[in-house]
Amino acid sequence: MLGRKDGFTVAALFGALRSDTAGNVYAMAAAVLFPIAAIIGGGVDIGRAYMAQARLQQACDAGALAGRRAMTGATMSAADAVEARKFFDFNFPAGSFDTDPFVKINGVDNPRFVDGPSGDKSVRGFAQTTLNTSIMKIFGYQKMNLKVDCTSRLDIGNVDVMMVLDVTG
């Protein structure tokens, strides 16, 4: 007969388990194991993502500054864009922080450095990649998106040079 074995019913078994408090710590520890792992895993992976995004932003800034510094006119040349990309690649090598390689997005280079708005004499940079999670894979989160942009503008103001001679002795 289903539910009955040696004179015990399922209801009697659950009643006995409910009244017996020995070993409850093991059950509670097992119940909170997954939420604790999710909190720790989320903290670890978000920390890695913030670190990677900060480094990606620094690389974008370095590339934009180098590209603008290399410019001799109001617009970027291909050589200026190559110089910007060299600085970017030096500061954020491919695969840093367990990120995926950079691929074109909708047929556009990634990362890329382009002229700013017309007449602005600036350089704009864009970079996007994904970070592979380490612990959150257990919970179905395989990747985290990272996206940065940056702008650099070089302005040289008027400089007045003055020479003062003190002949008072």
Side-chain angles (χ1 to χ4, degrees):
M1 196 158 128
L2 187 64
R4 192 173 268 264
K5 189 171 189 179
D6 295 334
F8 287 105
T9 63
V10 174
L13 176 66
F14 282 123
L17 286 175
R18 185 177 57 210
S19 65
D20 186 13
T21 58
N24 279 352
V25 173
Y26 294 122
M28 287 188 287
V32 299
L33 186 64
F34 283 109
I36 289 174
I39 291 169
I40 292 171
V44 167
D45 285 334
I46 287 174
R48 288 180 59 240
Y50 280 133
M51 215 167 45
Q53 184 156 4
R55 189 64 170 190
L56 187 65
Q57 183 68 54
Q58 290 171 357
C60 185
D61 292 341
L65 288 169
R68 179 58 189 115
R69 187 73 177 150
M71 284 173 57
T72 56
T75 60
M76 275 188 89
S77 67
D80 299 335
V82 167
E83 185 71 14
R85 180 64 192 259
K86 279 196 302 189
F87 271 76
F88 180 89
D89 290 339
F90 179 78
N91 284 287
F92 198 89
S96 294
F97 299 97
D98 194 25
T99 56
D100 290 334
F102 293 103
V103 294
K104 289 188 176 191
I105 300 171
N106 297 328
V108 179
D109 286 337
N110 175 40
R112 69 184 185 282
F113 296 94
V114 296
D115 284 324
S118 75
D120 193 19
K121 298 179 183 178
S122 64
V123 173
R124 296 186 71 200
F126 306 93
Q128 183 175 346
T129 188
T130 55
L131 174 78
N132 298 310
T133 60
S134 59
I135 299 175
M136 291 305 290
K137 287 179 184 178
I138 300 168
F139 302 101
Y141 296 98
Q142 302 294 324
K143 298 185 181 291
M144 298 175 86
N145 294 324
L146 305 176
K147 186 176 182 181
V148 298
D149 59 31
C150 52
T151 304
S152 175
R153 190 172 138 187
L154 179 65
D155 288 325
I156 300 175
N158 293 334
V159 177
D160 295 331
V161 178
M162 181 189 301
M163 184 173 153
V164 177
L165 294 173
D166 183 13
V167 291
T168 59

